[in-house]
Amino acid sequence: RDGWIDQGKKVPSSEFASLAAQYSDCSSKNKGGDLGWFGRGKMVGPFQDAAFACPVGEVTTCKSSHGYHIILVEGKRN
């Protein structure tokens, strides 16, 4: 959170995987933060809401009961 978000900067998508691997507390950090495909009802509410509201190719943030999240949406399926 320190740095990018606090300074009002967006995390560049080209840097997302390396930043996730370096700073994330989630086990997905071993895959550059990649959570794979998921549908509604699979993630906690605030995370799910932020992920599904975010346009493809954009980065968004949210806070949930699991902490702070920086989310890069790489694609969506119908």
Side-chain angles (χ1 to χ4, degrees), residues 4-63:
W4 295 101
I5 305 303
D6 290 340
Q7 293 175 22
K9 297 178 183 177
K10 289 188 172 185
V11 176
S13 57
S14 62
E15 298 292 319
F16 190 89
S18 63
L19 290 170
Q22 185 175 359
Y23 295 108
S24 180
D25 293 331
C26 180
S27 62
S28 69
K29 75 187 225 170
N30 298 327
K31 297 184 292 181
D34 189 349
L35 297 174
W37 295 100
F38 59 86
R40 292 190 184 275
K42 299 295 181 186
M43 300 291 180
V44 295
F47 183 96
Q48 172 181 276
D49 294 344
F52 282 96
C54 185
V56 173
E58 294 289 320
V59 175
T60 191
T61 62
C62 73
K63 182 180 179 194

